[in-house]
Amino acid sequence: MAIRIDGKLVSSKIREEVKGEVSKLTDKGIKPALAVILVGNDPASAVYVRNKQKACLETGIEPHQITLPEETEERELLDIIDKLNRDDDIHGILVQLPLPKHISSERVIEAISPKKDVDAFSHDSVGRIMEGKYSFLPCTPAGVMELLAHYNVEVEGKECVVIGRSNIVGKPMAMLLLNKSATVTICHSKTKNLPEVCKRADIIVCAVGKAEFLTADMVKPGAVVIDVGINRNSEGKLVGDVKFDEVEPIASMITPVPGGVGPMTIAMLLKNTVTSAKGT
Ligand code: NDP
């Protein structure tokens, strides 16, 4: 039976570290602050923003929340970001996605100063990740790397399969594994013989967005299985991209959903904010 990778435990350790760093910075007169911008009325986004705000408060980071109506003009949002870029008391800027359709996410993300891009979604941040010379890593893939490190999973020289090639999870995930000298295969909806490719993997990261997609026949016995997915199944229960009950008996380690990768994402956001504040 696989060891269950405990994301709650590892994330609470990171939050404690963040708290310590915040306290040291505060003693030096620097109060780490994160601006979170929410545009519109998407209920899921509102929950994510509330959770980020709560996590900031718990670690002593000052949350600076800006809530804007759905009909906000792109120009207005860009002006707000410009002001936040120039505000020395703000160390991180995050724009909650998705944005309303009339606003270009790309233009908005590109407007955030690379020094404050704690989500690491901008072209500058992505380029730095490619070169392995980054200040910030995107929170979810960075959280996965923290979990692997915490559980002493050797990455160097390992066959890693990442399922999913989104800009926010799959691609940066593959790059971080590559930066640690893994042999990485990225799979997507056009991949042929996916079960066979997956079965080669010593480490599988599944970021597909389909409930219980990865089944036992796709997993090599002893593989480490990381489940990034957050889905609701037909009964409304929260499940990952991995068929947990089937895969757990054959994997060597596995992340549950909930309680695996999920809690790591916000913890890494807090860590990025403190990293930015340290640089001021
Ligand atoms: P996207 O929908 O942007 O990407 C999904 C990827 O999966 C695509 O690259 C797609 O391929 C691939 N895919 C879809 N169907 C198949 C298939 N049948 N076979 C192989 N590949 C397939 O999702 P995200 O990357 O944004 O998110 C993935 C999951 O992770 C979601 O469940 C999301 O909720 C979750 N998530 C969790 C976070 C956390 O904090 N834990 C944070 C972010 C996301 P193609 O490119 O060819 O279409």
Side-chain angles (χ1 to χ4, degrees):
M1 198 59 110
I3 293 169
R4 286 192 189 190
I5 294 179
D6 189 343
K8 274 195 199 154
L9 180 88
V10 182
S11 69
S12 66
K13 195 176 145 263
I14 291 169
R15 283 174 193 229
E16 279 309 309
E17 284 165 13
V18 166
K19 223 174 179 173
E21 298 282 356
V22 171
S23 154
K24 276 191 223 155
L25 284 165
T26 309
D27 289 347
K28 286 189 208 160
I30 300 164
K31 181 84 185 153
L34 172 67
V36 180
I37 306 175
L38 174 66
V39 187
N41 313 312
D42 181 52
S45 293
V47 173
Y48 292 141
V49 164
R50 256 203 315 278
N51 289 342
K52 286 167 189 171
Q53 197 175 14
K54 193 166 154 255
C56 280
L57 289 169
E58 279 165 12
T59 47
I61 293 173
E62 204 169 281
H64 186 89
Q65 197 183 321
I66 299 166
T67 308
L68 301 167
E70 182 84 20
E71 60 277 11
T72 302
E73 300 278 345
E74 184 177 305
R75 186 68 261 158
E76 215 178 321
L77 179 55
L78 293 174
D79 286 345
I80 290 170
I81 292 172
D82 183 47
K83 277 202 193 94
L84 293 168
N85 282 341
R86 287 186 280 109
D87 184 342
D88 291 340
D89 293 332
I90 296 291
H91 305 98
I93 304 171
L94 180 154
V95 178
Q96 186 64 45
L97 300 177
L99 285 167
K101 290 210 165 35
H102 64 280
I103 299 179
S104 155
S105 304
E106 188 177 349
R107 273 197 292 274
V108 167
I109 289 167
E110 287 311 304
I112 299 171
S113 159
K115 288 187 186 150
K116 301 187 180 186
D117 179 26
V118 285
D119 251 346
F121 290 163
S122 70
H123 295 159
D124 185 274
S125 299
V126 172
R128 287 172 185 279
I129 294 160
M130 288 282 286
E131 292 186 354
K133 292 178 192 156
Y134 39 78
S135 309
F136 309 119
L137 290 174
C139 301
T140 302
V144 172
M145 296 309 287
E146 287 276 345
L147 288 177
L148 294 174
H150 186 88
Y151 281 83
N152 297 315
V153 176
E154 183 66 68
V155 173
E156 188 177 313
K158 293 288 163 66
E159 285 274 354
C160 296
V161 169
V162 178
I163 320 176
R165 57 173 164 179
S166 71
N167 289 333
I168 61 164
V169 188
K171 284 183 199 165
M173 186 72 247
M175 208 45 65
L176 298 192
L177 291 165
L178 181 64
N179 287 346
K180 291 279 178 206
S181 300
T183 302
V184 186
T185 306
I186 308 174
C187 299
H188 45 78
S189 65
K190 307 289 185 290
T191 298
K192 298 230 174 1
N193 303 325
L194 184 69
E196 278 168 44
V197 178
C198 292
K199 219 157 179 169
R200 290 205 305 256
D202 301 307
I203 301 170
I204 303 183
V205 181
C206 200
V208 179
K210 291 201 162 127
E212 302 182 322
F213 176 83
L214 190 86
T215 45
D217 58 312
M218 300 163 85
V219 178
K220 177 167 84 174
V224 174
V225 178
I226 306 290
D227 188 352
V228 179
I230 304 174
N231 315 285
R232 297 258 167 214
N233 69 8
S234 50
E235 290 132 42
K237 190 180 158 222
L238 199 67
V239 293
D241 287 351
V242 176
K243 204 160 175 47
F244 189 85
D245 295 346
E246 266 189 23
V247 176
E248 188 186 29
I250 59 166
S252 62
M253 291 190 198
I254 188 165
T255 56
V257 175
V261 175
M264 295 300 292
T265 300
I266 291 185
M268 300 315 290
L269 173 69
L270 302 172
K271 196 169 169 175
N272 281 350
T273 305
V274 165
T275 302
S276 174
K278 276 179 171 169
T280 54

